[in-house]
Amino acid sequence: MTTDGPAESDLDAYDPAIDVFGDLAPARYWLRVDFAPYPDGTPATPELVRNTAVLHRASGGWLIVHLHEDVRQVGGVPAVGS
């Protein structure tokens, strides 16, 4: 497999907010994707994504019925000032 940029090196979901309304639950959280430096050592910017998932309670568990991602900062590009 080939890629056009650096490889992902870490993934972190943070600041979760979950509300339950009967059998529906909207969940909101931020996702940060870190990338390995470029071969010449130049650091790559992290990608910051705001996620919203809508879950539905069914068959004794929760199923994701909708997922929305909003990229707030594109990652994997050379960091400014590097």
Side-chain angles (χ1 to χ4, degrees):
M1 181 169 92
T2 61
T3 61
D4 293 335
E8 295 173 357
S9 62
D10 195 22
L11 190 65
D12 182 35
Y14 61 97
D15 289 343
I18 302 167
D19 297 303
V20 177
F21 303 101
D23 289 340
L24 289 177
R28 288 99 51 214
Y29 58 94
W30 283 93
L31 186 65
R32 178 186 169 118
V33 182
D34 290 316
F35 295 87
Y38 282 85
D40 68 358
T42 301
T45 59
E47 185 157 288
L48 302 177
V49 184
R50 178 73 171 151
N51 286 270
T52 302
V54 178
L55 295 92
H56 181 259
R57 190 186 336 243
S59 302
W62 290 95
L63 299 173
I64 296 174
V65 295
H66 176 78
L67 180 63
H68 175 79
E69 295 186 341
D70 181 21
V71 176
R72 303 307 298 262
Q73 175 179 293
V74 174
V77 297
V80 176
S82 299

